[in-house]
Amino acid sequence: MPTIRTSLTTLALLGAASALTACGSMNSPAAPAFNQSSLPATVQVPAGQRIAMETVGAGDITYECRAKKDMPSAFEWVFVGPDAKLMDRSGKVVGRYYGPPATWESNDGSKVTATQLAVAPASAGNIPLQLVKANPAMGMGAMQGVTYIQRVATQGGVAPAAACTAANAGQKQVVKYQADYIIWKAAS
């Protein structure tokens, strides 16, 4: 009988996990909406907007060792661009984030680029929080009508700790990162 009891326990746990996953899905009306009130004011979306999509971006950020703009004898790691999958809250891939230019693209082919409005520090070792204003969408689909995108809940993605000197100028390094991208449209 221990085998049956173990199997029943396993089934019960799997059922509970499935129920929790369903509750966390973006399509579920019971899923709590993102609340930006705990974010710094500089990266909060202005009133008159509604959340259109909550995504998690997971992937890589590429940096390149280059001479500093105003000090050609000094070197620094410079952000080159991201390459990440965008997933909904249930883990389904719904698009991609890449650049340059920074582009959020839905699986339906619609996409937006954006202009950075503000950044705010995140915890140590994580790229900053960010607010961007979307440019008009290219293509019809999920990105049509997007007004703002917030980057929050950042993990990793900071410039490499490795030395950047004249000896390794031009060298690129890729770092892992993850962030939530909250996509907004004008409230109707």
Side-chain angles (χ1 to χ4, degrees):
M1 287 289 185
T3 305
I4 293 173
R5 183 173 294 143
T6 302
S7 295
L8 291 175
T9 302
T10 302
L11 286 174
L13 288 173
L14 288 173
S18 294
L20 286 173
T21 301
C23 288
S25 170
M26 284 182 39
N27 298 327
S28 170
F34 171 76
N35 184 341
Q36 68 173 347
S37 65
S38 65
L39 296 176
T42 55
V43 295
Q44 288 186 16
V45 171
Q49 309 297 312
R50 66 174 174 78
I51 294 173
M53 196 180 337
E54 294 183 41
T55 65
V56 177
D60 303 318
I61 296 177
T62 301
Y63 289 89
E64 183 176 351
C65 180
R66 296 181 185 165
K68 288 186 177 182
K69 224 181 242 185
D70 299 330
M71 297 175 56
S73 61
F75 293 82
E76 65 185 342
W77 289 105
V78 176
F79 176 89
V80 174
D83 185 14
K85 292 179 182 176
L86 294 176
M87 297 163 281
D88 67 14
R89 294 289 189 202
S90 70
K92 177 184 171 195
V93 176
V94 295
R96 216 176 129 224
Y97 171 57
Y98 57 91
T103 304
W104 292 261
E105 183 171 349
S106 171
N107 284 345
D108 63 21
S110 63
K111 58 188 171 182
V112 295
T113 59
T115 303
Q116 179 175 285
L117 296 178
V119 294
S123 57
N126 301 310
I127 56 174
L129 309 180
Q130 181 184 49
L131 176 64
V132 299
K133 181 159 181 46
N135 297 316
M138 295 165 267
M140 297 300 290
M143 295 300 179
Q144 193 68 35
V146 169
T147 52
Y148 294 92
I149 301 172
Q150 287 172 309
R151 180 178 69 201
V152 298
T154 59
Q155 298 175 28
V158 296
C164 174
T165 65
N168 63 337
Q171 178 186 24
K172 292 183 179 178
Q173 288 209 4
V174 175
V175 297
K176 297 283 183 202
Y177 93 105
Q178 180 175 309
D180 288 0
Y181 291 97
I182 312 301
I183 299 170
W184 298 76
K185 294 183 178 181
S188 306

